Amino acid sequence: MSLSALKSKALQDPEVKKIYEGLRAEFELINSLISSKVTSDLAGYQGDRK
């Protein structure tokens, strides 16, 4: 079973869906922080200058 199929099946349960929706903002913040860190790390990368 794929992750998307598992997610779709789980979200059919109203209680699971309510909890999932309640956590959406938290996961969006985490995703944003990770993306910013990755972008920052890539911007600072100088490469191998031997």
Side-chain angles (χ1 to χ4, degrees):
M1 178 179 282
S2 70
L3 180 58
S4 61
L6 179 62
K7 180 180 173 182
S8 294
K9 184 174 180 169
L11 291 176
Q12 290 176 358
D13 181 337
E15 187 175 342
V16 171
K17 187 170 184 172
K18 181 181 175 184
I19 293 167
Y20 178 82
E21 292 297 326
L23 293 172
R24 180 183 299 253
E26 185 174 344
F27 285 116
E28 287 176 357
L29 173 62
I30 291 167
N31 189 32
S32 176
L33 292 171
I34 291 170
S35 294
S36 295
K37 174 69 174 146
V38 168
T39 302
S40 173
D41 286 350
L42 291 175
Y45 179 69
Q46 299 293 318
D48 190 10
R49 296 185 176 205
K50 287 184 178 181

